[in-house]
């Protein structure tokens, strides 16, 4: 276990060169993706192999964790049922969405580009086990029907950084892509069209609506079957105070937009991808802002909570760096839906009204404390009774942000491989990882007082994530 | 052995007014234009020698966003002082200071020391300085113009807080029996004897 100065702030954490390498974000000038990895060429080879796992697949189908979101006490589905006007319209748009794009589907199955990228250079240093891992993924992803339990098992050991393998795997693990490989393209097209409809529906300036109203219905609907956006009362104008006023709504939205804007700009300030001053980083910021705004509009029970930008960031980053151009172009839509999926598992932690309920963040932190007590009673006692470091002081951020502010970005991705692939859901393993983090610095904690320990845990030292994950596994085994 | 007086200060204020930047400027002498939003609260400490008295400021830098307010009381419940921060370019953030004061009146210790900082004073103000100073005076608070970016007024703000807290603790120590002193006083000697049984009538 290696440690660094506990007082080091997050911005001081090391970002490896490759994350900021222009190779990640030079816009492809080529219609085909410029850098398809070996893994994907392997995908092609594997595709022709006979497939005989369908029976097994069915067997595992029941094991897959279900992602029922409809039962949620505050919001139902990924858009809130109580969101009368917008939800209704959004649903209508969904139901009648005319959008389709035949050129859209292009999950990497029929492309190959052997031109070596810098990733190949990096890959040459990889160990054999790395190559074997890539091979295993290629085999699994090439199957007609992806075996989720097997994919979970592979991903829990870490997903290769190259070739868009992580992007596809995360989409599968989050249930965004169906198991049936043949359905990938159609499903992605459908969702991307849905997202385009959300954008059309929700990101709109009221003066535009008023203008269109004035221009008459013909123009409004000429774009292809869109239902009326909103009833506009007589004399709706920017100074109207009526709650149904479109303009009133607009100004409330403006506040939301500003809030999201100011936070998104502060996402990973040490990475050019998010916070540089290039057109590319601005494009990424815009995409993340739109996705968070749409989420807030569709989920008025939660809206936007600070830190959501941090949870969206790894998804968007991974999808935007998919060497497949079509996937890269639609990273925003894909990240939005995966964000929705992910939050359906953990969003109760974002909800203030639920803080003290059996699903809220205090309960979750209580679970962490109980887990620690069970596995390391001495450490638990020291934190709880001697140094009196309440879990709320450090674990709140760990849990709500899924560890995105505690580690270097490559380590976040590796941790998320394990989080997203956990058969019992991300929260279960998240608690074990948090517990493991405490155990990994136990000797320092046992020697520390309130101030030492709180500072240590609020600026978690750089500890090998593989070691943390190993300890997290042990926590499970002894459970 | 010299005793160190711990002073617990909590920073409160709207999101993005610059609470974290203010504290980081003060504690670490650093400034970043793109400070990551604070989730819940960060804990920082700074040791001072105040006219010969050793003081440790334990600073809770809280999150500004509404969502985190339900968690607020555990940070200011036993605070010695609250530093209320607003952004002089954002009038709404000053109104938030007023609502924080109301909440503190209800939830915080009665003798909590208050200070108000109008941050970002390197920029054009949208808030009438006279108004904010008058308001501060009306609630027994001091008021400072600060800029984390240009390092203006920050040292003064925290020194003012430390001075007033120390004065208050001193006054308390002189005028009231030891047993009713605030529990945040660190007494290196033996703890004071328990108060004698009450002789008052029931």
């Amino acid at each position: 276990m290696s440690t660094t100065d506990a007082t080091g702030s997050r911005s001081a954490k090391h970002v490896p060169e490759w994350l900021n390498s222009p190779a990640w974000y030079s816009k492809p000038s080529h219609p085909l993706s410029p850098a398809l990895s070996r893994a994907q060429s392997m995908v092609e080879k594997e595709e022709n192999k006979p497939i005989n796992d369908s029976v097994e697949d069915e067997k595992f189908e029941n094991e897959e964790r279900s992602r029922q979101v409809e039962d949620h006490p505050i919001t139902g589905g990924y858009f809130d049922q109580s969101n009368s006007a917008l939800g209704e319209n959004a649903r209508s748009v969904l139901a009648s969405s005319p959008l389709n794009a035949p050129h859209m589907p292009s999950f990497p199955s029929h492309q190959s580009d052997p031109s070596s990228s810098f990733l190949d250079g990096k890959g040459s240093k990889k160990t054999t086990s790395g190559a074997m891992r890539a091979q295993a993924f290629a085999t699994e992803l090439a199957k007609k029907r992806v075996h989720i339990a097997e994919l979970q098992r592979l991903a829990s050991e870490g997903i290769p950084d190259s070739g868009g393998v992580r992007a596809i795997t995360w989409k599968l693990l989050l249930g965004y892509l169906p198991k049936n490989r043949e359905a990938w393209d159609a499903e992605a097209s459908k969702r991307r069209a849905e997202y385009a409809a959300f954008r059309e529906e929700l990101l709109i300036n009221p003066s535009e609506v008023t203008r269109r109203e004035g221009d008459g219905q013909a123009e409004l609907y000429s774009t292809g079957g869109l239902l009326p956006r909103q009833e506009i009362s007589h004399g709706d104008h920017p100074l109207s105070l009526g709650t149904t006023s479109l303009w009133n709504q607009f100004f409330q939205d403006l506040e939301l937009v500003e809030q999201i804007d100011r936070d998104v700009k502060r996402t990973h300030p040490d990475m050019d991808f998010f916070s540089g001053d290039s057109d590319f980083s601005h494009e990424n910021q815009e995409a993340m802002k739109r996705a968070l705004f749409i989420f807030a509009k569709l989920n008025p029970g939660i809206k936007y909570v600070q830190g959501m930008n941090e949870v969206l960031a790894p998804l968007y980053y991974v999808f935007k760096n998919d060497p497949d151009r079509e996937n890269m172009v639609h990273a925003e839509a894909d990240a939005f839906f995966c964000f929705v999926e992910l939050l359906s598992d953990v969003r109760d932690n974002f909800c203030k009204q639920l803080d003290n309920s059996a699903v809220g963040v205090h309960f979750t932190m209580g679970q962490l404390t109980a887990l620690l007590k069970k596995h390391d009673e001495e450490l638990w006692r020291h934190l709880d009774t001697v140094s009196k470091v309440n879990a709320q002081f450090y674990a709140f951020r760990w849990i709500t942000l899924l560890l995105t502010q505690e580690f270097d970005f490559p380590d976040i991705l590796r941790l998320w491989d394990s989080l997203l692939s956990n058969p019992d859901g991300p929260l279960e393993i998240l608690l074990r990882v948090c517990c493991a983090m405490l155990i990994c610095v136990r000797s320092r904690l046992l020697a520390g007082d309130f101030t030492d320990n709180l500072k240590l845990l609020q600026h978690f030292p750089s500890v090998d994530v593989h070691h943390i994950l190993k300890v997290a596994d042990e926590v499970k085994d002894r459970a | 052995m010299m005793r160190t007086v711990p002073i617990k200060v909590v920073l409160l204020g709207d999101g993005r007014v610059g609470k974290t930047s203010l504290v980081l400027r003060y504690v670490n002498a650093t400034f970043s234009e793109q400070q990551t939003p604070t989730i819940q609260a960060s804990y920082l400490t700074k040791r001072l020698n105040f006219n010969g008295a050793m003081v440790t400021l334990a600073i809770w830098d809280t999150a500004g966003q509404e969502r985190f307010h339900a968690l607020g009381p555990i940070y200011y419940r036993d605070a010695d002082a609250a530093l209320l921060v607003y952004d002089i370019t954002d009038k709404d953030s000053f109104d938030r200071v007023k609502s924080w004061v109301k909440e503190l009146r209800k939830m915080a210790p009665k003798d909590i020391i208050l200070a108000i900082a109008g941050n970002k004073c390197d920029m054009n103000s949208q808030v009438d300085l006279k108004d904010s100073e008058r308001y501060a005076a009306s609630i027994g608070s001091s008021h400072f113009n600060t800029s984390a970016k240009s390092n203006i007024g920050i040292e003064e703000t925290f020194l003012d807080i430390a001075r007033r807290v120390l004065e208050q603790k001193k006054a308390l120590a002189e005028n009231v029996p030891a047993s009713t002193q605030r529990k945040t006083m660190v007494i290196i000697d033996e703890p004071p004897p328990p108060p004698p049984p009450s002789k008052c009538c029931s």
Side-chain angles (χ1 to χ4, degrees):
Chain A
M1 161 174 41
S2 71
T3 56
T4 56
D5 179 15
T7 58
S9 72
R10 181 175 160 266
S11 58
K13 291 209 175 187
H14 175 66
V15 172
E17 270 308 297
W18 63 266
L19 271 179
N20 279 330
S21 161
W24 280 112
Y25 53 82
S26 53
K27 288 184 186 174
S29 53
H30 202 265
L32 285 176
S33 53
L36 276 180
S37 73
R38 286 182 200 137
Q40 274 167 0
S41 20
M42 282 185 252
V43 170
E44 285 197 309
K45 279 180 231 153
E46 293 298 326
E47 229 181 358
N48 301 323
K49 279 192 175 176
I51 290 152
N52 52 8
D53 65 321
S54 51
V55 179
E56 220 178 335
D57 257 343
E58 295 304 320
K59 193 177 79 188
F60 277 91
E61 204 158 316
N62 296 331
E63 289 177 23
E64 237 190 305
R65 64 199 164 104
S66 61
R67 297 185 167 275
Q68 296 298 327
V69 290
E70 289 79 12
D71 298 339
H72 194 273
I74 297 288
T75 58
Y78 58 73
F79 45 78
D80 189 89
Q81 307 296 328
S82 68
N83 180 14
S84 52
L86 287 167
E88 196 60 50
N89 278 355
R91 280 193 293 273
S92 313
V93 169
L94 269 181
S96 64
S97 178
L99 291 163
N100 49 31
H103 65 281
M104 217 178 250
S106 62
F107 286 91
S109 52
H110 309 295
Q111 298 175 16
S112 93
D113 184 343
S115 69
S116 72
S117 70
F118 76 104
L119 284 170
D120 291 331
K122 189 169 172 276
S124 65
K125 278 182 265 169
K126 277 187 179 170
T127 58
T128 331
S129 77
M132 280 169 68
R133 216 153 36 94
Q135 170 73 59
F137 271 96
T139 309
E140 190 53 44
L141 292 172
K143 285 179 183 165
K144 227 178 194 169
R145 196 176 163 77
V146 177
H147 190 316
I148 292 293
E150 177 59 14
L151 193 64
Q152 284 176 336
R153 192 190 61 75
L154 284 173
S156 70
E157 286 160 17
I159 303 171
D161 288 321
S162 59
V165 179
R166 178 173 277 126
I168 293 221
T169 306
W170 281 12
K171 286 173 189 175
L172 283 159
L173 292 172
L174 282 163
Y176 174 63
L177 287 181
K179 280 169 285 186
N180 183 354
R181 188 187 161 87
E182 279 175 2
W184 287 2
D185 286 350
E187 181 63 20
S189 305
K190 201 181 103 205
R191 299 295 204 105
R192 289 163 181 176
E194 243 177 71
Y195 186 77
F198 286 147
R199 274 182 67 168
E200 175 78 7
E201 168 84 2
L202 300 172
L203 305 175
I204 189 155
N205 179 331
S207 62
E208 181 76 355
V209 174
T210 320
R211 187 185 63 74
R212 291 198 205 181
E213 281 280 303
D215 289 354
Q217 309 267 307
E219 193 193 321
L220 184 60
Y221 304 133
S222 64
T223 44
L226 290 180
L227 294 173
R229 284 181 174 72
Q230 180 125 11
E231 286 292 314
I232 297 183
S233 58
H234 264 306
D236 196 3
H237 53 83
L239 298 178
S240 166
L241 294 172
T243 47
T244 56
S245 159
L246 197 58
W247 278 99
N248 187 319
Q249 185 62 46
F250 172 71
F251 287 121
Q252 280 180 24
D253 286 354
L254 207 59
E255 206 171 298
L256 180 65
V257 167
E258 279 171 8
Q259 189 180 29
I260 292 173
D261 178 53
R262 283 185 268 185
D263 286 354
V264 164
K265 274 196 232 155
R266 303 190 282 177
T267 310
H268 294 289
D270 48 353
M271 287 175 67
D272 296 344
F273 180 89
F274 295 107
S275 299
D277 203 19
S278 63
D279 287 349
F280 182 68
S281 67
H282 291 154
E283 178 195 327
N284 292 334
Q285 289 176 7
E286 290 305 316
M288 287 181 48
K289 284 192 280 193
R290 281 190 298 267
L292 290 168
F293 179 79
I294 290 172
F295 180 86
K297 294 295 286 181
L298 295 178
N299 293 272
I302 299 182
K303 288 208 203 80
Y304 168 74
V305 176
Q306 282 195 319
M308 281 183 177
N309 56 319
E310 305 277 351
V311 177
L312 177 65
L315 296 169
Y316 179 72
Y317 177 89
V318 165
F319 299 163
K320 188 72 180 175
N321 285 303
D322 191 324
D324 178 87
R325 190 172 193 285
E326 207 48 43
N327 289 339
M328 187 273 282
V329 166
H330 291 100
E332 178 184 337
D334 295 354
F336 170 81
F337 286 107
C338 287
F339 179 74
V340 168
E341 292 290 348
L342 182 56
L343 248 65
S344 71
D345 281 320
V346 298
R347 70 169 152 195
D348 294 342
N349 294 325
F350 277 105
C351 186
K352 185 165 76 176
Q353 287 79 5
L354 294 174
D355 271 351
N356 295 308
S357 77
V359 288
V361 70
H362 288 299
F363 179 77
T364 311
M365 287 186 294
Q367 285 181 300
L368 170 61
T369 312
L371 198 62
L372 180 66
K373 186 179 179 186
K374 186 169 172 185
H375 292 282
D376 192 339
E377 191 161 350
E378 185 191 2
L379 181 56
W380 167 80
R381 193 178 312 284
H382 184 80
L383 288 178
D384 186 73
T385 324
V386 183
S387 60
K388 296 194 188 306
V389 183
N390 186 331
Q392 186 179 330
F393 295 154
Y394 58 88
F396 184 94
R397 189 176 76 190
W398 294 6
I399 290 167
T400 49
L401 300 196
L402 304 173
L403 301 171
T404 49
Q405 279 194 355
E406 319 310 319
F407 293 92
D408 296 338
F409 203 74
D411 288 346
I412 295 170
L413 300 183
R414 173 62 193 90
L415 281 168
W416 276 38
D417 291 343
S418 291
L419 254 51
L420 302 184
S421 62
N422 188 43
D424 298 321
L427 204 52
E428 189 269 338
I429 187 172
L430 178 64
L431 289 175
R432 284 190 283 117
V433 170
C434 291
C435 185
M437 286 165 67
L438 295 170
I439 293 171
C440 284
V441 293
R442 80 185 297 274
S443 57
R444 291 175 68 179
L445 289 173
L446 288 174
D449 62 11
F450 175 82
T451 300
D452 301 334
N453 287 351
L454 193 49
K455 285 187 175 175
L456 178 67
L457 297 175
Q458 284 205 341
H459 305 276
F460 197 77
S462 85
V463 174
D464 181 8
V465 284
H466 299 95
H467 180 66
I468 293 176
L469 286 167
K470 198 164 152 274
V471 176
D473 274 349
E474 286 165 14
V475 166
K476 180 167 198 171
D477 292 343
R478 283 189 287 146
Chain B
M1 180 182 169
M2 199 179 215
R3 70 183 207 191
T4 303
V5 183
I7 294 180
K8 181 173 164 182
V9 184
V10 60
L11 265 78
L12 301 168
D14 213 350
R16 297 166 299 266
V17 298
K19 294 180 292 300
T20 302
S21 293
L22 220 121
V23 181
L24 288 182
R25 168 65 83 182
Y26 181 59
V27 175
N28 295 341
T30 54
F31 177 77
S32 160
E33 289 277 0
Q34 302 291 356
Q35 186 58 50
T36 311
T38 305
I39 304 303
Q40 202 178 17
S42 304
Y43 181 76
L44 298 97
T45 54
K46 173 132 175 156
R47 285 170 74 88
L48 310 172
N49 184 331
F50 197 90
N51 295 335
M54 285 307 293
V55 170
T56 303
L57 289 179
I59 304 169
W60 279 103
D61 168 27
T62 66
Q65 203 192 13
E66 178 70 30
R67 186 258 173 272
F68 302 103
H69 286 179
L71 309 157
I74 64 161
Y75 301 107
Y76 57 70
R77 213 166 33 206
D78 57 351
D80 297 292
L83 175 56
L84 303 151
V85 187
Y86 70 96
D87 171 355
I88 63 161
T89 69
D90 175 5
K91 202 175 169 316
D92 291 347
S93 71
F94 184 68
D95 295 334
R96 290 285 302 129
V97 165
K98 294 180 180 173
S99 58
W100 270 116
V101 169
K102 281 185 196 140
E103 181 165 341
L104 289 172
R105 290 261 184 269
K106 275 187 281 179
M107 310 284 286
K110 273 200 271 302
D111 53 356
I112 190 167
I113 297 289
L114 297 179
I116 298 177
N119 196 32
K120 308 193 188 176
C121 75
D122 52 293
M123 288 157 81
N124 286 332
S125 180
Q126 302 294 317
V127 180
D128 186 346
L129 181 62
K130 288 243 161 51
D131 274 359
S132 16
E133 283 175 341
R134 205 176 301 129
Y135 174 74
S138 76
I139 58 161
S141 165
S142 49
H143 182 281
F144 293 88
N145 280 324
T146 59
S147 165
K149 190 176 181 177
S150 310
N151 195 13
I152 299 168
I154 296 170
E155 194 83 24
E156 290 87 330
T157 306
F158 282 98
L159 284 178
D160 173 74
I161 290 173
R163 180 183 56 78
R164 287 159 64 209
V165 171
L166 284 176
E167 280 173 8
Q168 188 180 65
K169 284 179 187 277
K170 200 170 161 225
L172 274 171
E174 282 166 2
N175 300 331
V176 227
S179 59
T180 60
Q181 282 180 15
R182 293 179 58 106
K183 63 177 188 306
T184 44
M185 286 289 282
V186 168
I187 309 223
I188 304 292
D189 306 324
E190 285 295 295
S198 169
K199 285 177 183 139
C200 300
C201 50
S202 61

